[in-house]
């Protein structure tokens, strides 16, 4: 299912469940008709070629974030590892906030992460809205069998009669009405005869259940709203808790993985499936729901509502702002799909809620890129270094490995000249103790070039250093026989000023100043870090082809990528994905 296979997976409780199910042959008799459907469709199929079926069911009401990546890697990864299929299902049962833009963005990001929903030539990409008709037929079947009724109370009245954790709910006066009456009202609801919120279809379970989710939950509510795919065809929409088990069953899902907050919904999930199976509407074996702990990452917010607020109120540039934990933002920032998969693998799965430090994500990026990223030099805070004994008209080529982990692999080449750009911080007129870089009288190596001895500096009228001066020591060029004759304690990076490529470089910091911006009753908007993005004008080594999708290591500085929106070949804009070390701790 993914383009690359991962190393031998670490076992976890979900793998154990699947392995036991496969061993017991629990899903061996399943039929698959090549498409989702009720029992009538599924029973006409043949043996399911997929050992298991899982699904990733996003609601297309926002962009995917790093939390979704955990669910994607889990669902697609398990299907791949057990020769199963993973469906991409748009859970678009809520007309108000759903849009095609989000559907496209979700497809784009799941593909980018390296996953694919094709199995044995079948494209398992589905929309819950395609099931509206069959779902409605199921609802009529439940009403006819006495398992559901139309309650003419308002949403507020229904809520008030639900009881509390310690007190049972009260039966609605419509609970025991004849099935024909409920059926007629349900049809009238569907036909648009009633305004929003005047009545609802409810499951008839148990108003005294200690599990509030079983106190006659609502199946359908009236909502006169256009849907991004079905338009005005419907004015009643299914509730998530009713739609979800039906969607899973129609698609022949075997293992339905969701986050822990749905644990209390599982009895209701099972109740719906059991009733519909008894009524001959659903094929056996039925799906099972399992819960795992969601990903909570420090220094970010991952609620779609809060992300939307950040975007819509202009606190960030858009859903793909490089500071956001959206997958589009992480991609733009320079994260690779492999680094996100590695991160999710390291997270593992468990039933215990925990908070993961943001640095874990950054470390996964470094570990992914260190062996493979091309190296280059960049200077972020430039000051000129003049090699006073080097002729102005001379240009001398220097070489360095593209990746030092492969010293004999591809080489890069760049010129050494009289005037170079170095980092301002690599020179001190009065060095502190243990400072081994440039200061008057000290010698340092210009990496892959010559050893130079600092002779002084030039200052402007305000005392600010404008130029550093040094003399090079002939015969000390890297890679030549005399290179190690002179010992130095410091090495610095540099770029020939005449050849350097100018670039805008964007340096990012945490978007929030608080590790848990959305915990308790904190107002996350007041915790935005005003210095989360700093833009500098710097220089790049000649030969850096800055194009989005290729993340470089700029030596000593971190991992960088060309910004996919703002960068131009002749005017590069570069994002720093992460520093080389954790500078936050
Ligand atoms: P929100 O509540 O912010 O809208 P959501 O969880 O409702 O997010 P969905 O689009 O419904 O978003 O999620 C699709 C799938 O991704 C669900 O199966 C959900 O369990 C999973 N998911 C969402 N957030 C996380 C997370 N932080 N960790 C693990 N899985 C997650
Ligand atoms: Mg949701």
């Amino acid at each position: 299912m993914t383009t690359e296979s991962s190393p031998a997976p670490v076992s976890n409780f979900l793998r154990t469940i699947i392995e036991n199910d496969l061993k017991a042959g629990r899903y061996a008799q399943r039929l698959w008709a090549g498409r989702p459907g009720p029992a009538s469709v599924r029973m006409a199929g043949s043996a399911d070629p997929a050992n298991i079926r899982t699904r990733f069911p996003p609601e297309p009401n926002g962009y995917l974030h790093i939390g979704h990546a955990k669910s994607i890697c889990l669902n697609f990864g398990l299907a791949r590892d057990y020769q199963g299929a993973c469906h991409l299902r748009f859970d678009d049962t809520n007309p108000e906030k759903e849009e095609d833009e989000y559907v496209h963005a979700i497809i784009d990001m799941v593909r980018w992460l390296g996953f694919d929903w094709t199995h044995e030539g079948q494209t398992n990409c589905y929309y819950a809205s395609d099931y509206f008709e069959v779902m409605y037929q199921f609802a009529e079947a439940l009403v006819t069998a006495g398992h559901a009724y139309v309650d003419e109370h308002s949403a507020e009245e229904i809520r008030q009669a639900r009881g509390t954790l310690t007190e049972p709910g009260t039966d609605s006066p419509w609970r025991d009405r004849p099935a024909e009456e409920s059926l007629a009202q349900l049809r009238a609801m569907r036909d648009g005869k009633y305004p929003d919120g005047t009545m609802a279809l409810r499951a008839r379970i148990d108003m005294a259940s200690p599990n509030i989710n079983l106190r006659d939950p609502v199946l359908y509510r009236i909502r006169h709203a256009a849907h991004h795919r079905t338009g005005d065809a419907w004015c009643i929409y299914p509730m998530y808790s009713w739609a979800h088990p039906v969607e899973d069953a129609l698609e022949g899902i075997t293992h339905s993985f969701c986050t822990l907050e749905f644990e209390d919904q599982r009895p209701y999930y099972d109740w719906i499936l059991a009733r519909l199976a008894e009524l001959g509407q659903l094929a056996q074996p039925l799906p099972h729901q399992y819960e795992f702990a969601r990903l909570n990452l420090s220094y970010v917010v991952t609620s779609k509502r809060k992300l939307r607020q950040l975007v819509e109120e202009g606190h960030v540039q858009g859903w793909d702002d490089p500071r956001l934990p959206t997958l589009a933002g992480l991609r733009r920032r320079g994260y690779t799909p492999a680094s996100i998969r590695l991160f999710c693998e390291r997270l593992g799965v468990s039933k215990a809620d925990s908070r993961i430090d943001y640095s874990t994500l950054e470390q996964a990026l470094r570990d992914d890129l260190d062996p493979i990223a091309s190296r280059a030099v960049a200077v972020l805070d430039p000051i000129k270094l003049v090699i006073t004994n080097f002729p102005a008209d001379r240009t001398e080529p220097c070489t360095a490995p593209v990746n030092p982990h492969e010293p004999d692999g591809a080489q890069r080449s760049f010129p050494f000249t009289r005037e170079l750009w170095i980092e301002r911080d690599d020179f001190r007129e009065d060095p502190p103790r243990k400072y081994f870089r440039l200061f008057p009288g000290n010698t340092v190596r210009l990496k892959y070039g010559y050893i130079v001895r600092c002779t002084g500096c030039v200052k402007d009228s305000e005392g600010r250093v404008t130029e550093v001066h040094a003399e090079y020591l002939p015969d000390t060029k890297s890679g030549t026989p005399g290179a190690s004759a002179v010992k130095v304690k410091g090495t610095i990076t540099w770029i020939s000023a005449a050849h350097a490529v100018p670039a805008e470089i964007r340096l990012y910091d945490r978007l929030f100043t608080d590790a848990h911006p959305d915990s308790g009753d904190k107002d996350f908007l007041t915790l935005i870090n005003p210095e989360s993005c700093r833009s500098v004008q710097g220089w790049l080594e000649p030969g850096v082809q800055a194009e989005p999708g290729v993340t470089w290591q700029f030596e000593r500085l971190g991992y960088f990528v060309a910004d996919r929106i703002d960068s131009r070949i002749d005017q590069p804009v570069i994002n720093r994905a992460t520093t080389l070390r954790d500078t936050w701790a």
Side-chain angles (χ1 to χ4, degrees):
M1 314 271 320
T2 97
T3 44
E4 289 140 69
S5 64
S6 35
V10 179
S11 194
N12 60 50
F13 77 102
L14 297 178
R15 287 181 182 277
T16 307
I17 288 169
I18 294 173
E19 283 160 22
N20 289 341
D21 286 345
L22 291 176
K23 228 179 280 164
R26 196 161 160 200
Y27 294 105
Q29 308 303 321
R30 262 171 329 120
L31 300 179
W32 175 247
R35 65 190 168 95
S40 55
V41 169
R42 293 269 305 288
M43 300 312 276
S46 43
D48 193 337
N51 276 345
I52 59 167
R53 284 187 188 266
T54 59
R55 84 289 171 269
F56 171 63
E59 183 178 354
N61 63 350
Y63 279 61
L64 297 181
H65 53 64
I66 188 70
H68 292 114
K70 178 174 180 180
S71 176
I72 293 169
C73 290
L74 184 75
N75 281 293
F76 282 95
L78 289 172
R80 172 199 61 212
D81 293 349
Y82 293 98
Q83 289 80 52
C86 180
H87 299 186
L88 174 62
R89 179 203 306 147
F90 290 99
D91 213 329
D92 56 352
T93 53
N94 204 349
E96 274 98 353
K97 291 193 179 125
E98 295 165 0
E99 283 172 37
D100 278 339
E101 177 201 345
Y102 301 132
V103 169
H104 298 306
I106 289 170
I107 287 178
D108 181 30
M109 291 330 297
V110 180
R111 285 229 173 90
W112 176 73
L113 268 186
F115 296 103
D116 165 43
W117 38 93
T118 314
H119 182 261
E120 306 260 324
Q122 275 164 13
T123 309
N124 294 301
C125 177
Y126 302 111
Y127 293 83
S129 54
D130 286 340
Y131 311 143
F132 280 170
E133 184 57 38
V134 70
M135 232 176 244
Y136 176 78
Q137 295 305 329
F138 285 3
E140 285 208 352
L142 290 179
V143 171
T144 307
H147 294 312
Y149 62 97
V150 170
D151 189 336
E152 298 186 24
H153 272 154
S154 68
E156 188 47 38
E157 286 166 319
I158 291 177
R159 208 181 354 264
Q160 277 171 10
R162 189 163 289 153
T164 64
L165 285 174
T166 49
E167 291 161 45
T170 6
D171 285 3
S172 160
W174 280 278
R175 194 170 198 268
D176 295 319
R177 72 198 303 183
E180 310 79 69
E181 216 181 283
S182 277
L183 201 56
Q185 284 297 57
L186 175 59
R187 287 174 182 168
M189 278 169 59
R190 185 196 57 185
D191 292 343
K193 302 257 160 63
Y194 301 114
D196 289 1
T198 47
M199 53 185 78
L201 182 71
R202 299 179 73 181
R204 195 164 174 280
I205 310 180
D206 180 5
M207 287 306 292
S209 172
N211 183 340
I212 291 190
N213 298 296
L214 294 178
R215 293 184 190 167
D216 293 10
V218 171
L219 304 180
Y220 275 101
R221 71 221 151 104
I222 303 172
R223 202 77 202 85
H224 290 268
H227 184 280
H228 74 115
R229 291 186 81 242
T230 58
D232 293 321
W234 294 87
C235 63
I236 58 171
Y237 288 95
M239 301 300 288
Y240 176 85
S241 55
W242 148 245
H244 200 77
V246 171
E247 294 158 17
D248 282 348
L250 292 172
E251 293 179 18
I253 299 303
T254 55
H255 299 80
S256 177
F257 302 118
C258 59
T259 43
L260 279 181
E261 57 292 6
F262 291 96
E263 196 164 13
D264 291 345
Q265 292 275 3
R266 182 156 24 102
Y268 178 42
Y269 181 100
D270 291 337
W271 184 91
I272 288 170
L273 296 184
R275 296 299 80 75
L276 290 170
E278 282 165 12
L279 295 170
Q281 304 288 338
L282 289 178
Q284 296 275 4
L286 297 167
H288 276 260
Q289 174 183 304
Y290 303 94
E291 305 85 20
F292 66 95
R294 68 190 295 117
L295 168 65
N296 298 305
L297 197 60
S298 65
Y299 290 104
V300 300
V301 295
T302 52
S303 136
K304 270 187 279 192
R305 186 180 61 76
K306 287 178 180 160
L307 289 170
R308 179 176 304 108
Q309 206 178 338
L310 289 171
V311 172
E312 286 175 356
E313 294 179 7
H315 302 288
V316 294
Q317 309 286 308
W319 284 99
D320 63 354
D321 188 294
R323 292 165 296 180
L324 287 183
T326 53
L327 295 180
L330 291 169
R331 171 173 70 180
R332 190 169 164 194
R333 174 83 171 255
Y335 276 79
T336 58
S339 67
I340 294 178
R341 293 197 300 265
L342 177 64
F343 170 70
C344 292
E345 226 166 80
R346 288 178 176 173
L347 289 177
V349 263
S350 82
K351 282 196 85 106
D353 258 320
S354 66
R355 211 171 255 278
I356 303 296
D357 197 79
Y358 194 84
S359 59
T360 314
L361 179 62
E362 295 180 310
Q363 193 54 41
L365 181 64
R366 295 184 194 110
D367 291 343
D368 174 47
L369 288 175
D370 179 50
I372 55 173
S374 296
R375 283 6 185 216
V377 171
V379 175
L380 302 186
D381 184 12
I383 188 169
K384 208 164 253 182
L385 173 66
V386 181
I387 314 296
T388 50
N389 61 343
F390 198 88
D393 58 357
R394 199 162 125 201
T395 301
E396 205 175 308
C398 298
T399 56
V402 168
N403 186 314
H405 293 296
E406 292 169 45
D408 302 324
Q411 302 291 309
R412 58 193 224 256
S413 172
F414 40 86
F416 186 89
T417 55
R418 179 184 166 90
E419 296 197 354
L420 312 173
W421 291 118
I422 61 169
E423 293 287 352
R424 181 172 296 276
D425 187 49
D426 283 343
F427 170 77
R428 299 286 175 88
E429 211 179 359
D430 296 305
R433 272 171 55 81
K434 301 223 172 147
Y435 184 90
F436 298 122
R437 289 168 280 162
L438 287 170
F439 55 86
N442 193 34
T443 47
V444 302
R445 172 166 297 284
L446 298 178
K447 199 170 181 188
Y448 308 120
Y450 287 96
I451 288 175
V452 297
R453 175 176 296 109
C454 183
T455 53
C457 64
V458 179
K459 288 191 234 175
D460 64 16
S461 54
E462 274 139 48
R464 197 173 136 92
V465 178
T466 54
E467 237 174 55
V468 180
H469 285 186
E471 289 175 353
Y472 84 112
L473 312 186
D475 304 329
T476 58
K477 192 178 174 191
S478 289
T480 64
S484 50
V486 182
K487 298 290 176 218
V488 291
K489 282 191 172 159
T491 299
I492 66 172
T493 44
W494 54 274
I495 308 173
S496 164
H499 302 85
V501 177
E504 177 189 341
I505 299 170
R506 295 177 182 164
L507 305 169
Y508 299 101
D509 218 329
R510 305 282 199 259
L511 182 54
F512 294 99
T513 50
D514 190 294
H516 312 303
D518 54 359
S519 68
D521 45 9
K522 289 179 199 164
D523 175 3
F524 72 108
L525 292 177
T526 63
L527 300 170
I528 292 179
N529 176 5
E531 273 148 46
S532 57
C533 179
R534 191 162 62 90
S535 172
V536 300
Q537 203 57 47
W539 298 99
L540 308 182
E541 179 181 313
V544 170
Q545 304 274 324
E547 48 184 315
V550 183
T551 310
W552 294 71
Q553 186 195 104
F554 291 160
E555 298 189 27
R556 305 164 71 201
L557 300 174
Y559 292 97
F560 293 78
V561 74
D563 187 88
R564 49 193 299 120
I565 307 296
D566 298 336
S567 194
R568 303 280 171 272
I569 290 291
D570 54 341
Q571 256 181 310
V573 177
I574 310 285
N575 294 323
R576 174 150 71 186
T578 180
T579 52
L580 287 184
R581 271 173 298 280
D582 187 4
T583 49
W584 255 69

